[in-house]
Amino acid sequence: MHLPDDDLMACAILEARAAAARPRPDVPIGAVVADPDGVVIARAGNRREADEDPTAHAEVIALREAARVTGRWNLSGCTLVVTLEPCTMCAGAIVLSRIDRVVYGAADPKAGAAGSLYDLVREPRLNHRAEVTAGVRARECGDLLRDFFRERRRRG
């Protein structure tokens, strides 16, 4: 069953909401990896606060889980769907994992590395490039982040 990008993003949004709802709330970013048939094989939300790990971004965790599930690091044919445009660290992981497609919701003009600030996932000098689809459910993904940070500022 091949899920459309919108439905895959709905799964990523659920992961983002779960990240923000933890006892130690994290920035609401969620990611899923779909196999070549469009089946979700991995899902994750940010865990930097929960794990006290600066590398525990949703994308990295989802890529690790997808590699575990498939039994291979090379995720050719797979699609990564994430609520926020990947940062440089995550873009590097995308290139190294050979993900074919990246779908993201909200752009990140301050740190995005899939077209906004940098475009590492499509850098022609690297040994792999991913196709990028931007703006899927962008308003909803952006609202999650805006609401999260508004609430944090309110609480002090």
Side-chain angles (χ1 to χ4, degrees):
M1 173 179 167
H2 191 284
L3 291 175
D5 291 349
D6 193 68
D7 291 341
L8 291 169
M9 186 60 76
C11 295
I13 289 169
L14 288 175
E15 295 300 319
R17 290 184 194 285
R22 287 193 194 103
R24 291 184 67 186
D26 216 316
V27 176
I29 299 170
V32 298
V33 176
D35 71 10
D37 295 323
V39 175
V40 174
I41 59 171
R43 57 183 71 228
N46 266 10
R47 294 194 54 86
R48 292 185 313 167
E49 297 296 331
D51 295 352
E52 296 180 345
D53 178 354
T55 68
H57 289 203
E59 300 96 306
V60 170
I61 297 167
L63 291 172
R64 286 179 184 151
E65 178 64 11
R68 189 192 66 72
V69 167
T70 63
R72 58 189 176 89
W73 64 266
N74 186 324
L75 298 174
S76 293
C78 292
T79 298
L80 172 71
V81 179
V82 60
T83 57
L84 181 66
E85 180 181 359
C87 69
T88 54
M89 177 184 69
C90 294
I94 289 163
V95 170
L96 293 173
S97 68
R98 309 295 196 269
I99 285 284
D100 279 2
R101 266 182 89 225
V102 175
V103 176
Y104 71 82
D108 187 352
K110 293 182 179 179
S116 289
L117 183 60
Y118 303 107
D119 199 354
L120 292 179
V121 298
R122 294 181 285 199
E123 171 56 55
R125 295 172 291 180
L126 296 176
N127 64 341
H128 178 77
R129 283 162 295 290
E131 176 188 328
V132 175
T133 301
V136 175
R137 296 177 78 157
R139 179 184 290 286
E140 186 176 358
C141 293
D143 285 347
L144 279 173
L145 292 161
R146 281 185 288 279
D147 293 348
F148 177 81
F149 287 112
R150 184 180 306 118
E151 182 61 22
R152 285 187 73 164
R153 284 189 300 272
R154 188 183 70 75
R155 289 185 181 187

